[in-house]
Amino acid sequence: MRKITLLFNDIQKYFPEFNPRIFEQRYSQIIGIIKEGQKQGIVREEINSEIFALMCCQMLNDIAYNEFLEDSYSQKEQIKFLVDMLCCGICRR
């Protein structure tokens, strides 16, 4: 996973305009997923898709750039936990 972090750091350093595009794409995709889940009755209606998408994107960014939990846990473990935690919090029981 260290190689992935180095790759993201290089992208941010040499192609700074690329990072906002990735963020915007992720942001739009997450909003779409949340709204579709709300239509299907899977995601709670009171979940604000824009706030959820912003928080999710920022956390994914922090994990990608190794700024979240540093070397305590692998990026794979961090992402799995993030997905589990967020999905359990927004889904209907």
Side-chain angles (χ1 to χ4, degrees):
M1 287 297 177
R2 177 90 175 117
K3 290 179 184 177
I4 291 173
T5 301
L6 293 174
L7 172 67
F8 279 115
N9 288 338
D10 284 349
I11 289 172
Q12 190 174 29
K13 182 177 178 180
Y14 297 110
F15 304 100
E17 73 284 353
F18 190 67
N19 197 36
R21 284 188 284 170
I22 293 173
F23 189 90
E24 289 169 13
Q25 286 177 330
R26 269 193 215 143
Y27 177 76
S28 296
Q29 289 171 338
I30 293 169
I31 287 176
I33 290 167
I34 297 302
K35 288 185 177 186
E36 182 60 32
Q38 288 171 325
K39 275 200 300 194
Q40 293 180 17
I42 298 167
V43 175
R44 298 184 349 233
E45 287 293 324
E46 65 270 17
I47 299 297
N48 182 316
S49 60
E50 291 178 8
I51 293 173
F52 182 84
L54 280 171
M55 292 177 70
C56 204
C57 286
Q58 186 58 52
M59 285 189 261
L60 287 170
N61 232 26
D62 291 348
I63 291 169
Y65 291 106
N66 206 24
E67 296 171 356
F68 192 54
L69 295 174
E70 296 173 357
D71 294 326
S72 302
Y73 299 94
S74 71
Q75 288 175 321
K76 185 176 180 178
E77 289 174 301
Q78 291 178 53
I79 291 171
K80 183 186 180 322
F81 180 78
L82 175 65
V83 169
D84 289 346
M85 178 184 67
L86 293 176
C87 288
C88 289
I90 65 170
C91 293
R92 295 186 180 275
R93 305 238 177 232

